[in-house]
Amino acid sequence: MPSCSLVPVRLCVASLAVAVSLACTARATRPEPEAARAAEPRATWNVVLITVDALRADRMSLYGNERRTTPQLDAFARDAAVFENFFAVSAHTSPGVVSLLTGQNPPVHAQTTQYSFYDALIPSPLRALAARGYDVVGYAMRGATYSELGFTRGQDGMPTEQLLEQLAASERPFFAWLHTRETHLPYKPAAEFGGRFTRGLKLDSPLLRAVREHAIVLRDASVQIPYRHAGQVAARPGDAEPLRALYDECVASADARVGAWLAQLRAAGLLERTLVVITADHGEELLEHGWVGHASTGYDAKLTDEVLHIPLIVRVPGGAHAGRYRALASQVDVMPTLFELLGIDGSELAPNQQGVSLAPVMRGEQPEVREFVFAETTRKGWTTPRAETRRRVVALRTHDRKLIVADGATPAAGGSVHFYDLARDPGELENLNAARAPRSAELAPSLDWLSREVVLQIQRHRAAAQRSVEAAARERLALQDAGSARDDATAVVAQWQAIARQHATWGLERDPFYAGDTAWSALREQAAELAARAMRCEAHGQPTSSPECARSE
């Protein structure tokens, strides 16, 4: 909860009022003692993490959509914890998934573009699970973004149904990340759902044709990209309803796919030995703020709630802690929650994580575990050109206030600032930071507080990144020294290249932690000297430990 020493008095009073209300909600969903006891793991549980690409919460019947879009998940969630205020950390896939798998915010793990690398020596929850005997299987594990997170193997094109059969036959505990893309552009619902919600609606406008055929749909013809896309498209009046109906058919398709996986888990006897988490990487804009898609598909990044508000369903074996929870939660909270539910000590990971466990909320011990959620995105998502990677949009959101800063590290740095009173304006249509905006003076203390928190969050994330990357670099320097001692020039150069990749990765960030920092410069210099020496030795046919080699020109 907010501390009155940090938060304006009016905001603190309001927060306390919210806390009282949430405490009542928490008591209403508190599990019975026997259910709580059933949640204690009697043996090692498996974990299945299911992500549905571009699935926004409010288009699910589970979260209030009047259309019956998610009957399978509605039924599954009856004995699961459903978090009503769960938010993505970004507006495209890779940062959201990496945050789910690490507990780190995007400025800390830096996996925000196709040019970013995650260091194999930075602590990872998946590596911690593998060290404890888990078979850690990933939907994707190749490439810079996912390859060093700690997966022991990838799905590698194997049908998910076959993978689940394989896992069911194994005696090892497993962590499996499964992913499906039914709700990602292009919107092509399965045949059985086609027409279910769009019957009688016109789907032949330029925009509706584009979203059914293309993964990238642009409204700005000046954007030059090396990817196939629909060309310049404009929305017409009347497009919104058929667009949402079409998307809802895709939601129903995803529900059927995930429902089939859950049925397979149940039939194999795995459900009562497995923690199941169902969520998304991010949401999807459907013309609420001018366009459709998300950062990677529309090249027009936004951090409004239709892009950030996503589902979170957590089923504990036995159905313990089932209920609906209003606590504010973020993707970074998933791994700390799983580790606590599994009974695994994750304290060695905590210094690198910004997530907090939601288990106390599920047990009814606390109504809230955080004051706000954080989000950040590049302007054009994963495919952002290298020259534009430092253009970012940042958001902080409480239950009833939201601040979005675009193209500036902080409001003071000149970034455009949008401030919303979500209690009165849940659609984020009235920017209270705009000139003459009504009620802006009344809400000024909240705006001031959130603006200061933007600055603090950036500073804290930069410090956390520096700690983890420098620790990995020091470990790599030790490996370089070991390589030198055993005259292994190849190993020495490989470690230097890994440090150089990290430097390149952080060079893409808006606020590189090493800017003006002598410690990181010294580490890089030492690594470069060792690598140069190793290459000289190899060129002269001498061992790397040779003093004569070190003096060679």
Side-chain angles (χ1 to χ4, degrees), residues 100 103 110 199 265 285 352 395 401 440 460 480 495 521:
L100 280 169
R199 188 171 290 110
L265 287 172
E285 182 188 352
N352 296 293
R401 303 283 189 269
S440 56
R460 290 166 183 163
Q480 282 186 312
Q495 297 301 333
S521 299

Side-chain angles (χ1 to χ4, degrees), residues 169-465:
S170 174
E171 295 183 358
R172 291 179 62 190
F174 61 83
F175 176 102
W177 166 38
L178 313 179
H179 189 71
T180 188
R181 291 171 54 87
E182 279 84 358
T183 45
H184 192 285
L185 282 166
Y187 301 147
K188 293 183 177 180
E192 63 186 289
F193 299 103
R196 176 168 294 191
F197 305 127
T198 58
R199 188 171 290 110
L201 299 175
K202 293 183 178 181
L203 301 178
D204 60 351
S205 74
L207 179 62
L208 269 295
R209 288 196 299 269
V211 300
R212 296 165 70 191
E213 298 173 4
H214 295 275
I216 297 178
V217 181
L218 305 176
R219 61 175 171 178
D220 183 356
S222 67
V223 174
Q224 300 296 318
I225 59 174
Y227 304 99
R228 182 175 178 268
H229 61 87
Q232 184 172 4
V233 182
R236 292 179 176 176
D239 276 347
E241 179 50 33
L243 174 67
R244 290 165 196 166
L246 178 62
Y247 178 85
D248 284 353
E249 291 175 352
C250 296
V251 174
S253 292
D255 178 73
R257 173 67 59 86
V258 174
W261 293 345
L262 297 173
Q264 187 175 350
L265 287 172
R266 192 184 298 276
L270 286 175
L271 203 55
E272 297 312 319
R273 295 186 284 122
T274 303
L275 275 167
V276 178
V277 178
I278 302 170
T279 184
D281 48 359
H282 53 79
E284 190 86 336
E285 182 188 352
L286 300 172
L287 293 179
E288 291 86 355
H289 286 89
W291 201 231
V292 60
H294 53 277
S296 295
T297 63
Y299 274 37
D300 185 15
K302 298 185 181 74
L303 293 178
T304 44
D305 274 7
E306 60 269 16
V307 180
L308 295 184
H309 185 209
I310 57 175
L312 177 63
I313 306 166
V314 181
R315 187 187 186 278
V316 178
H321 311 320
R324 299 186 76 99
Y325 300 92
R326 291 195 67 251
L328 202 60
S330 165
Q331 285 174 317
V332 296
D333 300 330
V334 169
M335 270 301 175
T337 303
L338 290 178
F339 269 55
E340 182 166 352
L341 293 174
L342 290 169
I344 295 176
D345 179 12
S347 57
E348 76 274 16
L349 301 168
N352 296 293
Q353 292 182 324
Q354 292 72 58
V356 291
S357 174
L358 300 172
V361 175
M362 296 167 65
R363 292 193 295 263
E365 297 168 0
Q366 296 176 225
E368 295 283 347
V369 292
R370 59 168 58 252
E371 297 176 71
F372 51 77
V373 292
F374 174 93
E376 180 191 70
T377 184
T378 48
R379 276 296 194 177
K380 298 174 182 176
W382 188 79
T383 55
T384 297
R386 186 184 293 271
E388 298 180 37
T389 55
R390 290 193 179 187
R391 292 188 65 201
R392 301 296 172 93
V393 185
V394 179
L396 287 183
R397 188 196 197 280
T398 68
H399 274 290
D400 56 1
R401 303 283 189 269
K402 187 171 188 179
L403 180 72
I404 302 175
V405 183
D407 298 327
T410 67
S416 66
V417 177
H418 286 237
F419 178 56
Y420 298 103
D421 179 1
L422 300 175
R424 296 195 181 190
D425 177 27
E428 299 167 78
L429 300 176
E430 182 186 19
N431 177 14
L432 295 177
N433 195 54
R436 301 179 183 175
R439 303 185 66 243
S440 56
E442 175 188 343
L443 297 174
S446 297
L447 175 58
D448 292 344
W449 174 60
L450 287 173
S451 297
R452 288 196 302 272
E453 280 296 335
V454 167
V455 179
L456 291 174
Q457 287 302 302
I458 295 298
Q459 292 172 345
R460 290 166 183 163
H461 289 148
R462 182 163 44 191

